[in-house]
Amino acid sequence: MLTVTVDGVPLHYRDEGKGPPVLLLHAFALNGRAFDPQVKALSGRYRFIIPDLRGFGESALGDGPTEMSRIARDALALLDALNLDTAVVGGVSMGGYAAMALLREDAGRVSGLVLMDTQATADNAEGKAQRETNAKLALEAGVEPIIQAMLPKLLAAGPDSPVAQEVAALMRQASPAGVAAALRGMALRPDSKDILARYAGPALVVVGEHDALTPVAKAKEMAGLISGARLEVIPGAGHLANQELPERFNAVLDSFLTSLHGPSA
């Protein structure tokens, strides 16, 4: 198992494929296996570096809230450990928040940005209060109530679909403490519209047509802030477009990566 230790916390990651490096940050309560459809389809042309964010999957949890800036510094430390000056950086939902935090930490390391089913705005007071309620619920009752509350909102195919069951299985691998720390960390994140407006590199913004959590309007707002950003709406998909309709999503991602690096041999 590949691990890198950051500030005493061992973090698991995958390093698969060959070609230009692509760092992918997963959504809340999932882990790096959420990107299996992308690795399976595209690792012949790209090198995927996929950490389990701290507190999820095989990665340990540090102290305090898992702030997005903390995840960003973990990711930069991973790039350092792999001797990579730059990478395409992408994230889904919470992973998108972390990708924007990485951009704030060190934009020079980002050769391309992929924001997937996420948003640039911070939580309002109501949103922060709800995250704290859910954090306490996870610590008191475990992750299952969080899963059951989230699943109907994550996938257009519904909570009883095969892909929803795959998502739920990934979420069940999360620890209550990891879930609570991430919820509290997301509540602390700043608005990121300023950093997107300053970003001058290539960017892809992807959103599921039926994303109920970070809808198409949020994606359009982000794309409008970044000069030259490409906006792609995945027809028929919900909040986890890369898992729900991977073939459509992979075609969009592959097209963007090819535009940066040219077709690989």
Side-chain angles (χ1 to χ4, degrees), residues 29-36 56-57 147 164-174 243:
L30 302 180
N31 58 58
R33 307 306 307 193
F35 293 112
D36 281 358
F56 296 101
I147 295 171
Q165 297 313 304
E166 293 172 11
V167 168
L170 292 178
M171 295 175 78
R172 289 189 180 105
Q173 297 174 31
Q243 291 171 267

Side-chain angles (χ1 to χ4, degrees), residues 27-45:
F28 168 69
L30 302 180
N31 58 58
R33 307 306 307 193
F35 293 112
D36 281 358
Q38 287 67 60
V39 173
K40 184 178 180 181
L42 301 175
S43 58
R45 296 194 292 284

